[in-house]
Amino acid sequence: MVTARAAATFDPDGRSAAAARGFVRDALLGWGLPEVVDDAVVLVSELVTNAVVHAGTAAEVSCLREDGTVRIEVTDHHPERGLPAFTDGPVTASDRYADPDGEGGRGLLMCSALAERWGVEYSAGRKTVWFRLTLPVPVAGTRYAVPATPGSDLPSGPGPVHVAVVQLDDAGRVLAWNPDAEALFQHPADTVLGRPWADLAVWPDTPARGLGLAETLRLARWEGGFAVRRADGRTEEVYGVQVRVRDTEGVPSTLCLLVLEPDRAVLRSPARTLPGDRPDAAGPRLDLLAGPVATDDLDTLLQRTVERARDLLDADAAYLLLTTEDESEFEVRAATGLTTGHRRHTRFPVEHGNRYDSARLPTVHDDLTARPTGLPLLDGSGLRSLVTVPLKVEGRLIGSLGIATAAPGRYDNEDALRLQFAADRVALAVESTRLTELERLRRGSLSFLVEASDLLAGTLEHEQTLALMAQMAVPTLASWCAVYTKGDHGAAPGLAFVLHEDEDRIDALRGLLDKTPAPDPGPAHNARFWPAPAETAAGGFTDSPELAGVLGETVVLPLTARNRVIGLLALGTPAGIRFRQEILELAEDLSRRAALALDNSRLYSERTATSQALQRSLLPPDLPEIPGVEVDVYYQAAGEGNEVGGDFYDLFTIREGTYGFAIGDVCGTGPEAASVTGLARHSLRLLAREGLDAPQVLSRLNAAILDEGSRSRFLTLLYGELTPRPDGSTELSLVCAGHPLPLRLRTDGQVDRAATPQPLLGVMDDLDLTAEHLVLSPGEVLLCVTDGVTERREGRRMLGDDGLAEVLTGCTGLTAGAVAMRVQRAVERFAPEPPSDDMAILTLRVPAQRVG
């Protein structure tokens, strides 16, 4: 009887196999059948590939849940199809199938090996391959809440064992939180429901070390350890099983079962009995090692393998080595029972030159004290009996497994063969998981580099770029990082930034590097080892306790941009830790991106410094003291600091008792605008001191601007001359050439315009300009601004002359400085966005006379 059905059709292209795998995985997990997912996915992948590649047609995949079994069918529509030609006698590759050149048929062999029953059905224009997988006998409660092994591995702590059940929605938020979760982590359910799981789970999330939390939550199944934050801020180490499920409407979620780390045997997946193993057989059980480990994490798989290998032959210690990509070196990846000489990722050559130490053959060592193996892993361990066996896949050496004990002569050839047999059965799982890890690392590395590029592109500040480079390297690539930068060609690199994963060690590390000669940039383009820091420390230059264990391997990578070395990136590991090749390759990629960002930030900083210096040169260094007149100026450039603004102001002495003031705005920004600004400011001073009146000064300035030809820019300018009078008032002569009109604030709060508009400069040859005269009485204010004030916008609203007049009305009785600040605050508060135009405010006030 069919109790559930799911079907889908996949187009004949290269993506169909992956899509079919995902469809079958989701369907079976949605039905709560994770135990048969792996076998079903493997078979469907092969059969769909045969259909879309070899048959060249679309593939229909159907999943049928029946009583006690799952039936899966894959159908293609090739009009002609060769039939399998199975015979009773020996069959060669050429006579097994009717089509000797085809690659089909492998899916059928896999069905024969993995499925309980299978078959092929032919009809006109159709071929269907089906197979059945037997469902395991259901166990009361949760399948994974079963002790892996009896005896001492079971929880032994006081009180009951709590199994926290946490359900997460597709976005990683908490949907359900059972009472055991409250007891373990002290968070009441109502305080965590709806919160992101990332707020509570302490997850190692680095590109070079495995999947992050978000990616793990989307796996069909995951098992391993991490930590959870308690309500009091402390963390609890937990062991968990996560299963991806779907409800009746197809909505996905993740179910997490968690126990404290000492109780992990409650959730660890039990090893299945393998064909040919007798549960009552005497001696060690081979399935202790060969049983599948339900984890996608290579380190977890290897660690459990060595623990099972140790138990298999009742050893004191075990280790597992994996070969590098070129198979020339071994790398220590897991060990148990070794108290000295054991560092993960330590490397040494595969071959030692002694045939009996060959890692490619099973080997028994009766007494290591009589003839050492040369393995640094065992130096000083006190172990004497050793058995080593190779891990091979398709004849290729991928690793070596060893077990050892302190007693001599403990093992014989039968023990070696037993261990070899078990190693052969686990080798394929190790290689498969290693390839998965490598692919995950490559994807993580790519994500890391993309994120690094985005972060580095997000800033042009030199100091911030240096800090980002170091923060991305630590602790993802190394435990500490130092950045050296170069100035002019031929200059020695200088230490610019230092970072250590332990902040308390940064100062001591910087002190050591200050005493260490900077690395030579050299011609190399790749990472090279740099022993100088360790040599400096060993030479007695520092005895800081903060440096204990800090210095292991150190590598230097050049920062090259525009075909020259602009700096160096130094990375270091703790004592006894070596760099892995994939980390060095990732560091080289990072250094190339960081070099471009560092060069851009340096160029930007130089340009900014030049622009700021030019901007300062276009503004008066000091304002003169004017007897009887308060003067205050506010100036703000709208750019990011790397552009010269077009607004300017000036206040200068024309002759004794008479002063000139100006506020103007050149069209545009940058060097061209700066040249017109400089011409205007210096010409105003020169012409005014020649005795010309205000209209004559502006007419001569207009001619000078037009003489610039194509480089000229039009200019709006308010220019005036002021003369304080003995009665306490101030006489002014003004010309407003296309500039926002100045406003006059009277003592009664009334605001009126102090001039009329006249033509701007730099457009017409002949200008008819007229001076306008007024007298500022004691207590009155003259406000002069650029259009960055009056044209301040929020959407369609604009501050305008009326809005500015309204602001000025409320400034009665304020000093010149207070008036300028009141106007500046009003402009900034007018809209939430920062001002987009330069802004200059010049305020003149005649102090009110005191009544004696």
Side-chain angles (χ1 to χ4, degrees):
M1 177 183 296
V2 176
T3 59
R5 181 189 302 269
T9 301
F10 301 94
D11 294 332
D13 57 48
R15 299 185 298 272
S16 294
R21 289 194 296 269
F23 162 70
V24 171
R25 180 181 292 107
D26 289 344
L28 297 183
L29 290 177
W31 295 342
L33 305 175
E35 297 86 351
V36 297
V37 166
D38 292 341
D39 290 344
V41 165
V42 169
L43 295 176
V44 167
S45 178
E46 182 68 23
L47 295 175
V48 170
T49 299
N50 288 340
V52 301
V53 174
H54 303 305
T57 73
E60 299 174 4
V61 179
S62 299
C63 299
L64 308 174
R65 180 172 179 175
E66 304 169 335
D67 292 337
T69 64
V70 170
R71 176 183 168 113
I72 298 180
E73 302 173 351
V74 178
T75 301
D76 66 58
H77 299 273
H78 197 280
E80 296 180 0
R81 193 68 176 167
L83 301 180
F86 295 108
T87 67
D88 295 332
V91 182
T92 65
S94 61
D95 60 9
R96 181 178 293 277
Y97 300 102
D99 179 9
D101 297 325
E103 296 181 7
R106 291 182 302 187
L108 303 183
L109 295 178
M110 295 179 66
C111 288
S112 176
L114 298 179
E116 177 197 18
R117 299 180 66 185
W118 65 278
V120 184
E121 298 176 357
Y122 291 90
S123 61
R126 291 172 61 92
K127 173 194 171 188
T128 300
V129 179
W130 60 268
F131 60 87
R132 276 193 172 92
L133 299 175
T134 302
L135 300 179
V137 178
V139 180
T142 304
R143 175 190 177 276
Y144 302 108
V146 178
T149 54
S152 59
D153 285 344
L154 290 175
S156 59
V161 174
H162 295 286
V163 179
V165 180
V166 181
Q167 190 168 12
L168 312 173
D169 65 14
D170 197 40
R173 294 185 295 265
V174 177
L175 284 176
W177 186 266
N178 76 334
D180 274 11
E182 296 184 2
L184 285 180
F185 310 123
Q186 307 300 315
H187 289 287
D190 56 358
T191 65
V192 296
L193 294 180
R195 285 182 60 184
W197 184 230
D199 290 351
L200 303 173
V202 182
W203 197 269
D205 194 5
T206 54
R209 298 181 184 172
L211 289 179
L213 177 58
E215 294 85 353
T216 304
L217 292 178
R218 295 189 177 275
L219 296 177
R221 186 180 184 278
W222 179 89
E223 182 176 340
F226 55 101
V228 176
R229 292 186 181 89
R230 290 165 46 102
D232 57 9
R234 295 190 298 110
T235 58
E236 286 284 2
E237 295 293 329
V238 299
Y239 191 84
V241 172
Q242 297 172 182
V243 181
R244 189 79 165 167
V245 297
R246 291 179 183 270
D247 61 17
T248 56
E249 297 180 356
V251 178
S253 62
T254 302
L255 186 66
C256 306
L257 306 178
L258 308 172
V259 295
L260 296 180
E261 175 61 24
D263 300 334
R264 69 176 184 172
V266 171
L267 296 184
R268 285 179 59 180
S269 299
R272 290 181 288 185
T273 301
L274 299 173
D277 286 347
R278 301 195 316 274
D280 58 345
R285 286 277 304 280
L286 290 178
D287 60 345
L288 285 176
L289 177 61
V293 178
T295 178
D296 293 326
D297 180 65
L298 179 61
D299 290 334
T300 301
L301 171 63
L302 299 181
Q303 189 61 36
R304 294 186 188 175
T305 298
V306 296
E307 291 172 358
R308 292 178 178 183
R310 177 195 59 191
D311 297 338
L312 175 64
L313 295 180
D314 194 21
D316 295 324
Y319 62 84
L320 195 149
L321 316 174
L322 293 183
T323 57
T324 54
E325 290 188 8
D326 60 2
E327 300 182 15
S328 63
E329 289 185 306
F330 274 132
E331 185 178 45
V332 180
R333 295 301 301 267
T336 182
L338 295 178
T339 57
T340 61
H342 164 48
R343 291 279 188 180
R344 289 186 66 235
H345 305 302
T346 298
R347 293 184 179 182
F348 44 84
V350 169
E351 300 294 351
H352 299 289
N354 187 320
R355 178 184 181 281
Y356 297 101
D357 288 338
S358 174
R360 304 179 187 277
L361 299 172
T363 307
V364 178
H365 298 269
D366 291 327
D367 193 345
L368 297 180
T369 59
R371 190 175 63 81
T373 65
L375 283 176
L377 189 67
L378 302 177
D379 291 345
S381 65
L383 300 171
R384 301 181 67 178
S385 294
L386 172 67
V387 178
T388 62
V389 296
L391 272 68
K392 294 183 178 181
V393 174
E394 297 180 350
R396 180 173 55 87
L397 181 69
I398 68 164
S400 177
L401 176 64
I403 62 169
T405 187
R410 178 70 176 274
Y411 303 116
D412 55 22
N413 289 347
E414 291 298 325
D415 295 320
L417 294 176
R418 184 180 297 113
L419 185 63
Q420 181 68 73
F421 181 63
D424 290 342
R425 298 168 74 175
V426 80
L428 185 59
V430 170
E431 180 68 358
S432 175
T433 308
R434 179 165 71 162
L435 294 176
T436 301
E437 182 194 60
L438 290 176
E439 180 61 26
R440 187 166 59 238
L441 289 177
R442 292 188 181 98
R443 292 197 304 267
S445 298
L446 181 59
S447 300
F448 170 75
L449 293 174
V450 169
E451 181 182 0
S453 299
D454 289 342
L455 290 174
L456 290 170
T459 180
L460 287 172
E461 295 294 332
H462 190 65
E463 295 299 325
Q464 189 173 0
T465 301
L466 291 173
L468 279 175
M469 291 169 56
Q471 290 167 2
M472 287 184 293
V474 176
T476 302
L477 305 179
S479 64
W480 64 268
C481 171
V483 184
Y484 292 82
T485 57
K486 289 186 60 179
D488 298 332
H489 292 282
L495 184 61
F497 197 88
V498 177
L499 182 66
H500 194 282
E501 60 185 352
D502 183 353
E503 294 183 357
D504 295 336
R505 299 176 183 259
I506 294 178
D507 292 339
L509 180 61
R510 176 180 286 275
L512 172 66
L513 295 177
D514 282 336
K515 298 173 182 178
T516 303
D520 181 9
H525 298 287
N526 298 322
R528 68 180 189 275
F529 291 97
W530 184 39
E535 293 172 355
T536 301
F541 286 95
T542 178
D543 55 358
S544 172
E546 288 82 4
L547 290 177
V550 167
L551 299 176
E553 283 189 340
T554 303
V555 295
V556 172
L557 301 102
L559 300 172
T560 305
R562 295 186 296 157
N563 296 322
R564 70 185 187 93
V565 177
I566 63 171
L568 297 162
L569 183 67
L571 303 176
T573 62
I577 300 298
R578 297 183 62 184
F579 278 105
R580 299 175 64 181
Q581 184 61 34
E582 57 266 26
I583 294 297
L584 293 179
E585 293 172 356
L586 187 58
E588 290 172 358
D589 286 336
L590 175 63
S591 68
R592 286 189 283 270
R593 289 163 170 77
L596 295 176
L598 186 63
D599 193 48
N600 289 337
S601 69
R602 180 185 60 82
L603 294 175
Y604 180 82
S605 298
E606 292 176 356
R607 178 182 173 185
T608 299
T610 301
S611 298
Q612 291 174 346
L614 180 57
Q615 185 76 71
R616 288 192 298 269
S617 71
L618 299 177
L619 300 175
D622 298 301
L623 298 178
E625 294 282 344
I626 302 179
V629 179
E630 294 178 5
V631 180
D632 198 88
V633 175
Y634 176 83
Y635 179 85
Q636 176 180 313
E640 297 181 354
N642 62 340
E643 291 186 354
V644 182
D647 291 8
F648 72 96
Y649 65 90
D650 201 0
L651 183 66
F652 55 91
T653 302
I654 298 177
R655 55 187 173 274
E656 185 176 356
T658 300
Y659 302 86
F661 67 93
I663 183 169
D665 185 1
V666 178
C667 173
T669 59
E672 293 83 1
S675 65
V676 177
T677 300
L679 172 65
R681 196 172 75 83
H682 295 297
S683 297
L684 285 175
R685 290 192 173 210
L686 180 63
L687 295 171
R689 288 169 178 170
E690 288 295 318
L692 303 177
D693 60 16
Q696 292 172 329
V697 169
L698 267 62
S699 295
R700 300 283 182 88
L701 175 59
N702 180 64
I705 294 175
L706 292 175
D707 286 345
E708 292 293 308
S710 61
R711 297 180 301 174
S712 66
R713 299 290 185 93
F714 67 79
L715 166 68
T716 69
L717 180 66
L718 171 63
Y719 172 71
E721 298 178 358
L722 64 88
T723 304
R725 302 198 303 190
D727 63 358
S729 62
T730 297
E731 181 180 359
L732 293 94
S733 175
L734 302 173
V735 177
C736 187
H739 199 76
L741 299 178
L743 299 179
R744 177 180 185 176
L745 173 64
R746 299 181 183 273
T747 55
D748 59 359
Q750 179 181 348
V751 175
D752 51 29
R753 293 181 174 86
T756 56
Q758 300 187 56
L760 51 77
L761 309 181
V763 178
M764 299 180 293
D765 290 329
D766 297 324
L767 295 181
D768 185 13
L769 302 174
T770 304
E772 300 181 72
H773 301 275
L774 73 151
V775 176
L776 284 183
S777 300
E780 293 185 339
V781 175
L782 183 70
L783 175 64
C784 312
V785 300
T786 57
D787 59 7
V789 174
T790 56
E791 295 181 2
R792 174 70 160 142
R793 294 179 179 273
E794 183 189 29
R796 296 184 177 181
R797 289 195 315 128
M798 187 170 68
L799 179 62
D801 294 335
D802 294 338
L804 181 61
E806 184 178 349
V807 173
L808 187 58
T809 300
C811 297
T812 304
L814 299 181
T815 64
V819 172
M821 294 306 297
R822 179 74 64 86
V823 172
Q824 180 263 331
R825 287 196 298 270
V827 172
E828 288 192 347
R829 294 173 180 174
F830 188 77
E833 299 83 11
S836 59
D837 196 3
D838 301 333
M839 180 167 53
I841 303 171
L842 174 63
T843 308
L844 305 174
R845 179 178 181 270
V846 179
Q849 296 180 348
R850 295 184 178 181
V851 179

